[in-house]
Amino acid sequence: MLFHVEMVVKLPPDMPTEQVADIKAREKAYSQELQRQGKWRHLWRVAGSYANVSIFDVNDNDELQEIISGLPLFPYMDIQVKPLCRHPSSIREDDS
Ligand SMILES: O=C(O)CC1=CCC(=O)O1
């Protein structure tokens, strides 16, 4: 199942610099492992903001919830999820 996920990062302004660096490094490692596994298909920065738009390819809602709630930045993000299905006009033969 494919999901469009938008994440807006809202770190507390008073979070210590070392803690910010640590959480960002853990977020990067976590997301890159999921990208290698093919579960996090796309990761795009939304230009001009501290936000991303991502496409996840997971088995079901529960797996998406597990992945998203495991993000190190999860407590500091506003997240919107939209389930996707094939568009009847798409010329792609698969869902890539
Ligand atoms: O910087 C972001 O948009 C938050 C984030 C999600 C995955 C990642 O590596 O950073």
Side-chain angles (χ1 to χ4, degrees), residues 9 27-28 31 40 43 45 50-52 73:
V9 185
E27 182 85 1
K28 184 174 183 174
S31 75
W40 196 321
L43 172 57
R45 175 65 73 219
Y50 192 7
N52 71 73
L73 282 172

Side-chain angles (χ1 to χ4, degrees), residues 36-49:
R36 284 186 207 100
Q37 292 173 16
K39 295 199 175 287
W40 196 321
R41 286 264 204 100
H42 291 271
L43 172 57
W44 295 95
R45 175 65 73 219
V46 178
S49 65

Side-chain angles (χ1 to χ4, degrees), residues 6-63:
E6 181 164 11
M7 307 178 200
V8 179
V9 185
K10 294 182 172 174
L11 287 172
D14 59 350
M15 184 182 274
T17 315
E18 309 78 49
Q19 197 182 337
V20 171
D22 175 66
I23 200 166
K24 284 184 179 178
R26 288 188 290 116
E27 182 85 1
K28 184 174 183 174
Y30 184 87
S31 75
Q32 289 189 337
E33 177 54 26
L34 288 160
Q35 289 172 69
R36 284 186 207 100
Q37 292 173 16
K39 295 199 175 287
W40 196 321
R41 286 264 204 100
H42 291 271
L43 172 57
W44 295 95
R45 175 65 73 219
V46 178
S49 65
Y50 192 7
N52 71 73
V53 165
S54 293
I55 302 292
F56 285 86
D57 186 356
V58 292
N59 295 323
D60 50 30
N61 294 9
D62 290 337
E63 187 180 21

